[in-house]
Amino acid sequence: MKQDKLADYSLQLAQASMAYAQHLRGYGAKKDQFLRASSAVGANIAEAKYGNGIADFVNKLHIALKECNETKFWLELFTPETEEQAEALKKMKRLNGNIMRMLIQSINTVKARPDWKR
C-alpha cells in the first residue's frame, strides 16, 4: 500500500538522520532542529492514519510535508566531511524528495475526492 510505503520511507529517513547526526560537529542547536524535523515527518504520517476524519488526515499530511521541506533545508546546509557522509547525505536527500512527492500526491488525491470539504 502507498501509505505503508510512505511510513516505511519516513522511518528510514528518521533512522538515517539519527545516524548522520552523530557525525555533525559544530552545528549545535541546528543539529537538534534537523533531528526534530526529520523525525516529525514520520510522526505526522503516523498520526494521519488515525486522524479525526478526512480534514485532520490532510492536515497531518500537510504538516509532514512542511517538516520535509525543513529537513530539505537542513540537508542542504550540512557539509559532509567524508565520502561516506556525502553518500549518506545524498541518500537522505533522495529519500526526503521521494517522501515529499508522495505526500503531495496523497494530499491531491484526497482533495480530489467528492467527499472532501474545502
Side-chain angles (χ1 to χ4, degrees), residues 39-49 60-61 63-64 67:
S39 61
V41 173
N44 280 289
I45 290 168
E47 284 187 39
K49 289 182 181 182
K60 296 293 189 216
L61 293 186
I63 294 168
E67 296 295 346

Side-chain angles (χ1 to χ4, degrees), residues 60-117:
K60 296 293 189 216
L61 293 186
H62 269 289
I63 294 168
L65 183 58
K66 288 171 67 173
E67 296 295 346
C68 268
N69 196 47
E70 183 178 345
T71 299
K72 179 181 175 184
F73 170 81
W74 295 119
L75 292 172
E76 292 297 326
L77 179 73
F78 299 137
T79 304
E81 296 176 3
T82 66
E83 188 61 37
E84 181 182 328
Q85 289 177 15
E87 276 302 310
L89 200 57
K90 184 189 292 186
K91 180 182 176 184
M92 285 187 293
K93 287 178 181 179
R94 186 173 42 250
L95 190 55
N96 193 62
N98 288 339
I99 294 167
M100 288 182 81
R101 284 186 289 281
M102 291 173 75
L103 284 167
I104 291 167
Q105 183 61 47
S106 296
I107 291 166
N108 289 340
T109 298
V110 172
K111 286 184 172 183
R113 291 174 43 168
D115 59 345
W116 168 251
K117 295 179 180 153

